Structures are given as structure tokens and as C-alpha cells.
Amino acid sequence: METLTTRREHNKAVTRRSLAAAALRLAMEHGLDGVTVEDIADAAGVSRRTFSNYFTSKEDAVLDADRERLRALVAMVEARPAGEGAWQALRASTAELYRVRPLPDVEWMAQLRLLRRHPSLLARQAGDQVALERDLAAVLVRREPDEEAARLMAATFLTTIRTGIALWLEGAGAQELPDLVDRLLGRVQVQGT
Amino acid sequence: METLTTRREHNKAVTRRSLAAAALRLAMEHGLDGVTVEDIADAAGVSRRTFSNYFTSKEDAVLDADRERLRALVAMVEARPAGEGAWQALRASTAELYRVRPLPDVEWMAQLRLLRRHPSLLARQAGDQVALERDLAAVLVRREPDEEAARLMAATFLTTIRTGIALWLEGAGAQELPDLVDRLLGRVQVQGT
DNA sequence: ACAATTCTTGCGCGTTGTGCAAGTTTGCGC
DNA sequence: GCGCAAACTTGCACAACGCGCAAGAATTGT
């Protein structure tokens, strides 16, 4: 009675998660600069070299959960009802994401405050988003046939999310993140075809 | 008969420019990975250690001109007529930037194709933009008092520019960049107060 | 059970960023 | 012009990083 997938994939997924979790935990504990790749590898019970087989840097590992979350969001957008407009689908998916996968408050708060501080993480995160833009735009094309508009929409949308998070982190945290993000999304308009 | 500024500042400016220029030239010539910091330092006639006094990485040096350009744009936005609306000021400044400082076609084209390829440059560039968002938002506040809106506008604007450049690079280059960017800017709308 | 594929690991190497301390240049008041 | 203080450059050393390579271990399919 193994897992549903093959054993290899399962093992890989486990070590990947271990590494990402260890990276996040240690970075929150000692600060990003207070942790070496070797520390993370040790905590996950693998060698430094193996770490490099999964991630290219510690920033990469720390942000793994973030990326996974965004990939889930793209999938949600794809699964929205066919008739829905592009921007509406994005907005609805965002709300859905916060419903289906709420942020584990305390831990995430700490992670994000960490993110916000360290420039190399900000840079990496922004870089990741650029890569995601293509995927998101590809999904959007079904709802917004003009490729140029789809691309612009994807970029604008992701940036709006990022801005929402930034504002939320800076503010006293008086308002709920989902509400803030949704309000921002309501303020932006990208003209379609 | 020295320069207008003090000698020290002048010398610093010279070596900085030398380093940035050398970085750009060598990166275009041999690819980003085909160049070491030492190569760049040698080409500029300084030591590797001195390079680090000016830039933290070669990506940093390569993108120096880009950043300077964006800083000029922020200054232009600040200098626009007082009555002008925020988004209108941004749009006008962009057009002005392309008029006042046209892109040295061939060289820039090559640089941007280089940028687009290399992930670490994309990441760095995106990270720089995040840092610029604050400055731009601060300038915008005069025209858009709602800080949240100003911030969102700054982020959206910079992303639109980036998207325009990305599309331009990918396309056959049939259309002029300024026109493309201006069209994109026309498609986006960020609701003020 | 055996061979092929895939993953892990240790080793080595070139590169990077940075603190430190000595040397050099520039600025400024006398 | 003189000399001192501040600022800048340089070489050195070191921990850390990313990655190619090849040998060993685990997993797979037959």
C-alpha cells in the first residue's frame, strides 16, 4: 500500500517539501543571512549537493511555497466558468484562493515580514512573477483573445496582488488582506479588445 | 580649470561610468556568464575589490544605465505642470523620455535581448523596480493624494512599461517601442480617490 | 532476479561578496 | 606651500555558492 503516485516521485516531493520547510523555518529563525545552504540541507537530512538538485539558491527554496500558491491560482483561473470575463475571473479566483487556502496567520506574517525586508528575496520574488506572467497570460487568452491585452492583464494583475501584500505589511494590519487586495483589484481596469 | 564639481566626485563618477560601460559591453560581447567581475574591473582599469565598492554584482553594473534612466523619468514626472492628473503626467513623461533620450538603437536592442534571456537580470531588474515604486509613489502623491492609489498607480505604471518592452522584444519589432508603450498605457486605468 | 533508469553524494574548482588593514589620493585650513 | 584629516583604492583572506563529474545507492520495469 504505497502512495498513489510512484515511489520515486513521492520521495522527491517529500525531500523537496522538507527542504522548503527547513529553509523557511531557519530563515525566519535566524534571518536569511544567518542561514547557509548547508544548514538547510542538514535540517532536511540531505547533502548540500542534493539541495542544489532541487533549488538553485536559498531564496529559491524559501519562496517555493509562494510559487506553488500562485500556480494554484493560475489553475483556479483556468477552471472558472467559461462565460466569465478575464478580469472578473482573476478577481474571483483570488477571493477563492483566500477561501480555500487561508494564510496560516502567524507563520506567514513572519515570513512576509522577512520577505519584505530582504532585497534579494524581493528581487527573486519579482523575477518569479515575470516567469509566471507567461503562464497566466496563456490561460487568460481564452477569455481575452487579444494577446497583447492578455499579457498586460496578467502583468497588471500580479503586480496589484504584490502591491496589496506590500501595503498590508506596511500598514498596521488593521484590515484583512483579502479585502485590501480585492479593493485594489476593483480600482484597476485593463481595457480588453 | 577643473570640472564643475569637486575632483573626488568627478573621479568617482568617471570610474562608475567606466565600470558600467565595461560591464555592458563585455556582457553583450561574451554573454553575462562569459564575463567575470574581474574582467570588468580590468577593462575599467581598477581592481576587483574596487568594483565591489561601486556595485554589488555584475547584474547591478549592467543595469546601471537602466536605473539611471528610470530615475530621470521620475524627475520628469515631478517636473510636469501642477494641474496635470497623475496618470496623464506619467504618460506624458514617458513620451518625453523617449523624445529627450532616444534609445541608441542597435546597442540597446542588443542589451535588451540580453536582458530578456538571462533570468538573473530579469530578476534584478524587477527587484530594482520594486525599490523605485516607493520613490515614484512619493512623487505621485502630489497629484493623487490617496496614498494607496498612488502606490498602486506607480506599480501598475512600471509594470506596464516593462510589459511593453517585453512584448516589443518578442515581437518582430515591427512597431516602434514608444508607440507600443503608449498604447498599453492608454489601455490601463487606475481609479483615483 | 537482473539490467536500466534515476537520484544521491562527495569532491573539486572557479567565482562571488565582504571585512580588514595598509597604502594612496584629495580636500581644506593655516 | 604644508600638513593633517577624510575619502578612496587595493590586496589579502575567508566563508559561501553553483555546478560539473563520476561513483554508489535506490527504484523501476521486465
Side-chain angles (χ1 to χ4, degrees):
Chain A
M1 179 175 149
E2 312 285 333
T3 58
L4 292 172
T5 81
T6 146
R7 198 188 192 103
R8 268 212 176 101
E9 296 176 51
H10 177 252
N11 285 347
K12 284 203 75 171
V14 166
T15 48
R16 164 172 271 266
R17 268 192 285 275
S18 294
L19 283 170
L24 191 52
R25 185 174 57 80
L26 291 175
M28 290 193 299
E29 207 165 325
H30 308 107
L32 185 65
D33 298 323
V35 178
T36 71
V37 169
E38 194 154 19
D39 294 336
I40 299 170
D42 286 354
V46 295
S47 70
R48 179 172 84 91
R49 190 61 185 81
T50 295
F51 174 93
S52 287
N53 290 340
Y54 286 87
F55 302 103
T56 62
S57 65
K58 33 180 177 175
E59 291 85 357
D60 200 8
V62 169
L63 293 179
D64 190 52
D66 260 27
R67 279 197 309 271
E68 203 278 323
R69 212 180 146 80
L70 283 180
R71 263 181 278 124
L73 186 128
V74 172
M76 281 179 178
V77 173
E78 195 163 19
R80 292 297 300 179
E84 216 171 37
W87 192 258
Q88 179 53 32
L90 287 172
R91 219 174 148 176
S93 298
T94 307
E96 198 182 336
L97 182 70
Y98 285 125
R99 254 189 314 117
V100 177
R101 301 184 170 210
L103 313 169
D105 348 45
V106 185
E107 208 172 353
W108 264 77
M109 194 69 189
Q111 174 196 8
L112 290 178
R113 297 228 176 253
L114 178 73
L115 283 189
R116 173 161 151 278
R117 293 222 171 280
H118 211 98
S120 77
L121 279 181
L122 274 179
R124 183 83 202 199
Q125 192 190 22
D128 288 348
Q129 283 200 1
V130 171
L132 241 184
E133 262 178 44
R134 302 186 96 78
D135 298 354
L136 183 54
V139 168
L140 279 183
V141 160
R142 218 172 285 173
R143 306 182 136 83
E144 172 52 70
D146 183 351
E147 275 208 42
E148 200 176 279
R151 192 70 171 275
L152 182 58
M153 229 178 239
T156 304
F157 170 76
L158 288 174
T159 297
T160 303
I161 300 232
R162 212 175 28 73
T163 304
I165 294 178
L167 286 171
W168 180 65
L169 285 167
E170 290 169 22
Q175 43 197 343
E176 295 295 324
L177 177 57
D179 299 342
L180 171 55
V181 168
D182 192 68
R183 191 168 70 244
L184 289 186
L185 286 175
R187 281 175 178 250
V188 179
Q189 217 176 342
V190 179
Q191 228 162 49
T193 47
Chain B
M1 180 175 150
E2 312 285 334
T3 58
L4 292 171
T5 80
T6 146
R7 198 183 191 107
R8 265 209 179 108
E9 297 177 50
H10 177 253
N11 285 348
K12 285 203 75 172
V14 166
T15 48
R16 164 172 270 267
R17 267 191 286 274
S18 294
L19 283 170
L24 191 53
R25 186 173 57 78
L26 291 175
M28 290 193 299
E29 207 166 323
H30 306 110
L32 185 66
D33 298 322
V35 178
T36 70
V37 169
E38 195 153 21
D39 294 336
I40 300 170
D42 285 353
V46 296
S47 71
R48 178 173 85 90
R49 191 61 184 81
T50 295
F51 174 94
S52 287
N53 290 341
Y54 287 87
F55 302 102
T56 62
S57 64
K58 31 180 179 177
E59 290 86 356
D60 199 9
V62 168
L63 292 179
D64 190 52
D66 259 28
R67 278 197 309 273
E68 202 277 323
R69 211 180 147 79
L70 282 179
R71 262 182 278 123
L73 185 126
V74 172
M76 282 179 177
V77 173
E78 194 163 21
R80 294 295 302 177
E84 216 170 38
W87 192 259
Q88 180 53 31
L90 287 172
R91 222 175 147 175
S93 298
T94 308
E96 197 181 337
L97 183 69
Y98 285 125
R99 254 189 313 117
V100 176
R101 300 185 170 208
L103 314 168
D105 347 46
V106 186
E107 207 172 353
W108 264 76
M109 192 69 188
Q111 175 197 10
L112 290 178
R113 297 227 176 255
L114 178 73
L115 283 189
R116 171 162 153 279
R117 291 220 173 282
H118 210 97
S120 77
L121 279 182
L122 274 178
R124 183 82 200 199
Q125 191 192 23
D128 288 348
Q129 282 201 2
V130 171
L132 242 183
E133 261 178 44
R134 302 187 96 78
D135 298 354
L136 184 53
V139 168
L140 279 183
V141 160
R142 220 172 284 171
R143 306 182 136 84
E144 173 52 71
D146 182 351
E147 275 208 43
E148 201 176 278
R151 193 68 173 274
L152 182 59
M153 228 179 241
T156 304
F157 170 75
L158 288 175
T159 296
T160 303
I161 300 234
R162 211 174 30 71
T163 303
I165 294 179
L167 287 172
W168 180 65
L169 285 168
E170 290 168 22
Q175 42 197 345
E176 295 295 323
L177 177 57
D179 299 343
L180 171 56
V181 168
D182 191 67
R183 192 169 67 245
L184 290 186
L185 286 175
R187 281 175 178 249
V188 179
Q189 216 177 341
V190 178
Q191 227 163 50
T193 47

